[in-house]
Amino acid sequence: MTREELLSATEPLYTVVVTCYNQEEFIVECLESVKDQDYAQVELIVCDDKSSDNTVIIAKRWLNDNKDSFVRSELLVNAENLGISGNHNAGLSKATGKYISFIHGDDKLYNHTSLTDAIDFIQAENLTFTSLRIRAFLDCGNGKYELQELLPAEKALPLFKQDPLKQFRSLLTSCWIPGVLVTETDFLREIGGFDEEFRSAEDWCLWLKLSRTGYRIGINDKPFLFYRRHPKSITVSSIAEGKSDFVLNKLKAIEKYIFPFKSLLRPYDRWSVYIYYRYLNAIVKFGCSKQAYRKARWIKLFDPIKLFKSLFF
C-alpha cells in the first residue's frame, strides 16, 4: 500500500501502543508484526520505560526506517521507570486513534489480520471494549520456539457469557483473562486508564474494576497475539530472582479492588479470597523464591480454623 493509499483509507484509526523495557532482543520482531498488518489506518506509539539496554536505539532506528508504513508513529522514552501501568498510560496520553490496543515489546501480533479481526469483532458486537485471546509460546533460544496453550482456555470461554457480577466473582483469586484488549480510546480515558498505584497486576485491576461496575467482559475467539514466555519476562524473572513487588502488587489489588466490596461476595467467595490473601502473604514471608511458592501452597490446606474468619475479613 502506498503512502497516499494509506492516508486516504476510510477505516477508523487504530492506535497500537508497544510498551517495552530492556527488550532489545525482541523489539524488532514485535514492531515488524505491527507493520505487516493488513489494516491500513494504524498509529504506532512505542513507549520505553527507561531501558538500560539498546531498546531505544533499535526502536528509534526502526521507526525512522518504517515511518511511512503508518499514519503516525512516535517513540516515547520515560524520564524514569514508571512500571507497566504508568507506561501504558504514557501511550494512552498520546493516542489519537478511535480504538487502542497495547502489546508488550517481547510479544508479537498473531498474524497479518490481527488488527482487522479485532476491529471487525468489536464493531460487529457493538462493544466499547473486549478482551482478546492469545497464544503462549516458549522461547527456547537460538530461534527455536515451542507453541503452547491458547489463553484463556476453552473451558473458560463460557464465563464471558456471564453477567458482570459473576465475572467479578470469578476473578477474585485469579486473573484468568489475558491483559490484552481492544477498546475505544475515549472510554479508557474516561475510566481513568490504568491504575498507576500498581507497577504490575494492571490487567487484573482493570478487569476487577470493569466487572464490578457493571461492564460485561467479552472475548474475541480469534487469537490476537503470541505471548512469549522467556527467562526475562516479568513473571518468570520475579519468581526466579525472588522479587517481592509482583506479589505485593497482588496483595494491594485485593485490598483496593476486592476487600472494600465484600457485600458483593458470597460466603464461599470470602473464604476463597481470604485463603488466597494469606497464601500471598506467606510467599512474601518465605522470601518470594520458587521454594517460597511451594511452601506457601500448603497454607491452602492446613489452616482449617482461620477459614471461617473469611466471612468477616
Side-chain angles (χ1 to χ4, degrees):
M1 181 176 292
T2 66
R3 181 71 177 169
E4 290 72 21
E5 290 173 327
L6 185 152
L7 293 175
S8 64
T10 58
E11 300 99 331
L13 186 63
Y14 194 150
T15 299
V16 177
V17 177
V18 174
T19 57
C20 50
Y21 175 69
N22 287 348
Q23 290 161 342
E24 62 181 4
E25 301 172 59
F26 313 117
I27 188 64
V28 169
E29 188 176 8
C30 174
L31 296 175
E32 286 288 342
S33 76
V34 181
K35 176 186 173 183
D36 290 343
Q37 294 301 299
D38 67 354
Y39 193 83
Q41 292 284 89
V42 177
E43 172 185 60
L44 175 62
I45 300 175
V46 180
C47 295
D48 182 83
D49 206 15
K50 201 176 182 182
S51 293
S52 58
D53 64 2
N54 293 314
T55 299
V56 172
I57 295 173
I58 294 170
K60 184 176 183 179
R61 182 187 305 126
W62 189 93
L63 287 171
N64 185 62
D65 292 342
N66 295 277
K67 59 186 177 182
D68 289 341
S69 297
F70 306 98
V71 174
R72 193 180 85 84
S73 61
E74 182 175 1
L75 172 64
L76 302 177
V77 182
N78 298 331
E80 58 184 81
N81 185 272
L82 302 177
I84 297 175
S85 297
N87 205 20
H88 277 55
N89 285 340
L92 176 62
S93 70
K94 296 292 185 177
T96 64
K98 179 177 180 180
Y99 298 101
I100 189 170
S101 288
F102 301 82
I103 63 176
H104 296 301
D106 53 351
D107 298 329
K108 58 182 180 179
L109 293 174
Y110 192 76
N111 56 33
H112 73 284
T113 65
S114 290
L115 300 184
T116 299
D117 291 341
I119 288 289
D120 286 349
F121 179 79
I122 198 171
Q123 291 182 332
E125 297 294 324
N126 195 28
L127 300 172
T128 303
F129 72 94
T130 186
S131 61
L132 299 166
R133 213 166 183 200
I134 64 178
R135 165 76 76 176
F137 74 98
L138 180 64
D139 190 334
C140 304
N142 299 319
K144 296 181 180 179
Y145 306 110
E146 179 184 312
L147 280 181
Q148 297 185 327
E149 72 274 22
L150 273 169
L151 299 170
E154 290 290 334
K155 64 180 181 181
L157 295 184
L159 293 171
F160 289 98
K161 300 296 184 181
Q162 295 185 345
D163 64 67
L165 178 57
K166 289 182 179 179
Q167 289 186 334
F168 174 71
R169 290 169 175 169
S170 73
L171 286 161
L172 295 176
T173 61
S174 174
C175 185
W176 52 271
I177 304 176
V180 182
L181 78 162
V182 56
T183 179
E184 292 184 2
T185 306
D186 287 343
F187 171 75
L188 189 57
R189 289 190 176 119
E190 287 169 6
I191 65 171
F194 297 89
D195 191 339
E196 294 190 28
E197 187 179 339
F198 298 84
R199 294 180 61 84
S200 60
E202 78 294 339
D203 49 352
W204 193 27
C205 295
L206 180 65
W207 298 136
L208 285 168
K209 177 181 179 179
L210 287 171
S211 57
R212 179 184 56 78
T213 53
Y215 294 99
R216 185 176 68 83
I217 303 165
I219 185 75
N220 183 7
D221 191 52
K222 292 183 179 179
F224 180 73
L225 64 73
F226 282 108
Y227 163 62
R228 188 188 306 262
R229 287 172 170 156
H230 60 97
K232 294 182 180 180
S233 69
I234 292 177
T235 303
V236 175
S237 63
S238 293
I239 297 174
E241 299 173 19
K243 296 178 180 177
S244 63
D245 288 356
F246 186 68
V247 181
L248 290 173
N249 272 284
K250 287 187 175 183
L251 285 166
K252 191 162 56 174
I254 293 173
E255 293 165 357
K256 183 171 183 177
Y257 288 98
I258 298 176
F259 280 177
F261 310 103
K262 61 182 180 180
S263 62
L264 298 176
L265 309 184
R266 301 160 299 187
Y268 175 75
D269 299 324
R270 298 186 181 193
W271 170 81
S272 297
V273 173
Y274 173 74
I275 293 303
Y276 187 56
Y277 187 71
R278 293 199 68 245
Y279 164 70
L280 294 174
N281 271 297
I283 292 173
V284 175
K285 178 181 177 181
F286 295 144
C288 295
S289 63
K290 289 182 179 179
Q291 185 179 4
Y293 280 80
R294 288 194 294 268
K295 289 174 66 177
R297 200 174 299 153
W298 293 99
I299 293 290
K300 300 177 181 179
L301 300 176
F302 293 102
D303 197 7
I305 297 176
K306 290 189 177 180
L307 297 185
F308 297 99
K309 291 186 178 180
S310 61
L311 299 176
F312 309 100
F313 284 137

